[in-house]
Amino acid sequence: MESMALRRSSMRQLQRCMRTPCPLYLDFLAPRLGQHTRRFASTTSEAPPSPKPRYVLSKQQREYLDSALRVNQAGEIAATLIYKAQTPQVVRSHPHLRPLMKHMYEQEAGHLETFNRLVAKHEIRPTAMYPVWHAAATFLGWSTAALGREAAMACTEAVETEIGTHYNDQVREILSWEADAERRGEELDEELKEMLGIFRRIRDEELEHLDHAVANDAKEAKPYDPLVDVIRLGCRTAIKISEKI
């Protein structure tokens, strides 16, 4: 009887946990730093033996990856907040856009989960500017949606243009390391190859959002040029700051 009571108590606790909301940004604020793993090491224990020696990253290259992952994490939390703030107003006036807004938000949420995991795994400090970016992203999403569907889509176009360019720069940088490794008769670590694939996939999904925005009249926003220029400048500024802070 005592065993049955314990099992029922455990089941009730599990059900309560499953009902408790678990915002994505909790991992952003408190990455699981207890996971002690190597940071961009030159070998991967799980990888099969290779006839080529591993390409060893320099201190500058490791710092570049730290900065890239910190910025990517910050950018994805901002993207989820923008879509979260935009969706109620956009969908209220244009119910047919509900599936599209849901699709874009869920992709951004997936990107955030990916970078939360990578930042925690490699014990990288998240940006100290999180409270500022949280407020700015929420306001940007709410205010552009208040201006109408076209302005909300122009916001997506502007943000994804900068983010897509940023991811593309990261892909090019790692490809340059791969080329350097080939010249030396070496090869990239398997984990770094996987990271390259992640950056490419997320870049392509961000550019897909840009295409959706343009297809839904982003360029009809009034005033289009000042709105897009200001948002793009804000994104570039946030990226530069998050690289360092």
Side-chain angles (χ1 to χ4, degrees):
M1 292 295 291
E2 183 179 357
S3 175
M4 289 289 291
L6 286 172
R7 283 200 294 269
R8 283 196 295 270
S9 175
S10 297
M11 183 60 69
R12 285 195 294 271
Q13 288 178 342
L14 176 60
Q15 289 171 344
R16 282 197 298 270
C17 288
M18 291 175 68
R19 289 194 297 267
T20 302
C22 182
L24 289 166
Y25 51 76
L26 291 182
D27 273 346
F28 174 86
L29 288 170
R32 294 179 291 281
L33 296 181
Q35 298 178 355
H36 297 295
T37 59
R38 58 179 177 73
R39 300 177 67 215
F40 313 119
S42 60
T43 60
T44 302
S45 58
E46 298 82 1
S50 170
K52 291 184 178 181
R54 294 291 189 220
Y55 181 74
V56 180
L57 298 184
S58 66
K59 181 177 182 291
Q60 184 178 12
Q61 288 169 325
R62 291 195 303 272
E63 289 174 348
Y64 177 87
L65 281 179
D66 282 9
S67 175
L69 291 176
R70 178 166 52 250
V71 170
N72 293 352
Q73 185 192 42
E76 297 302 342
I77 187 64
T80 60
L81 290 167
I82 289 171
Y83 283 123
K84 185 177 180 181
Q86 284 181 339
T87 297
Q89 296 183 80
V90 171
V91 169
R92 188 181 305 122
S93 302
H94 305 276
H96 69 284
L97 290 178
R98 183 184 299 276
L100 175 61
M101 299 298 290
K102 181 175 183 290
H103 168 70
M104 293 193 294
Y105 172 82
E106 287 179 347
Q107 282 193 324
E108 300 293 1
H111 301 167
L112 177 57
E113 287 178 346
T114 296
F115 287 116
N116 282 343
R117 174 177 56 81
L118 289 172
V119 163
K121 181 177 183 179
H122 298 290
E123 302 181 1
I124 295 168
R125 173 187 57 78
T127 178
M129 296 296 290
Y130 169 76
V132 177
W133 302 156
H134 186 290
T138 300
F139 175 76
L140 179 61
W142 177 86
S143 60
T144 52
L147 292 173
R149 171 181 62 91
E150 295 84 359
M153 293 298 169
C155 173
T156 295
E157 179 191 358
V159 170
E160 302 297 15
T161 297
E162 292 301 323
I163 296 302
T165 299
H166 186 64
Y167 279 124
N168 213 37
D169 290 343
Q170 293 175 358
V171 168
R172 285 199 186 104
E173 181 67 19
I174 298 176
L175 285 175
S176 75
W177 302 350
E178 187 173 52
D180 186 39
E182 289 178 359
R183 285 192 295 269
R184 298 182 181 193
E186 300 172 348
E187 66 178 1
L188 295 184
D189 177 81
E190 290 300 322
E191 187 171 25
L192 193 52
K193 292 179 183 178
E194 180 185 359
M195 198 176 295
L196 175 61
I198 288 171
F199 288 0
R200 280 172 158 160
R201 173 180 60 81
I202 292 179
R203 174 202 61 190
D204 292 345
E205 290 175 354
E206 302 289 3
L207 294 177
E208 174 196 319
H209 297 176
L210 190 159
D211 292 340
H212 287 315
V214 172
N216 282 277
D217 301 327
K219 296 189 184 301
E220 299 301 319
K222 307 294 183 186
Y224 173 78
D225 288 328
L227 179 64
V228 169
D229 289 346
V230 167
I231 294 173
R232 290 187 62 178
L233 176 60
C235 288
R236 290 195 295 272
T237 302
I239 287 170
K240 291 297 183 185
I241 293 173
S242 296
E243 286 176 346
K244 304 297 183 184
I245 300 177

